[in-house]
Amino acid sequence: MGGDVFKALADPTRRRILDELTQRSGQTLFEICTRLVTKHQVGLSRQAISQHLDVLEAAGLVETRREGRYKFHDININPLDSIVDRWRPQKSGETE
């Protein structure tokens, strides 16, 4: 799963999406697209943003929930723990 997280974070547009979800989680695709255009001048189609969200969701960095006809996107930072743990120094007495 770590490789998927690195792949997801490699793209600057996906990092901007995560930045926007960090500022305000629970956004719809329309809201994310609007914020990317107005704040970052990202001129991608809704379909392209949706594909970026799919990559983030596959990596576990974004979770979705449906309420009626709306699909909301929430950030999930738990997959980042495995990356941080990889380089975190072990305390004395701990084994791998």
Side-chain angles (χ1 to χ4, degrees), residues 8-21:
L9 294 173
D11 186 88
T13 300
R14 290 194 283 268
R15 290 193 304 269
R16 285 186 185 116
I17 291 170
L18 290 174
D19 290 342
E20 289 304 319
L21 290 175

Side-chain angles (χ1 to χ4, degrees), residues 1-2 4-5 8 15 19 21 27 29-30 32 36 44 46 48 59 61 67 69-70 72 77 82 86 91-92 95:
M1 178 157 119
D4 292 339
V5 173
R15 290 193 304 269
D19 290 342
L21 290 175
Q27 296 183 61
L29 175 60
F30 177 78
I32 293 168
L36 290 175
L44 296 176
R46 287 172 42 120
L61 293 167
E67 292 180 20
R69 56 185 276 206
Y70 296 101
F72 296 94
I77 60 170
S82 63
R86 178 177 176 170
K91 296 176 184 171
S92 60
T95 58

Side-chain angles (χ1 to χ4, degrees), residues 25-36:
S25 198
Q27 296 183 61
T28 64
L29 175 60
F30 177 78
E31 291 170 314
I32 293 168
C33 291
T34 301
R35 289 173 70 98
L36 290 175

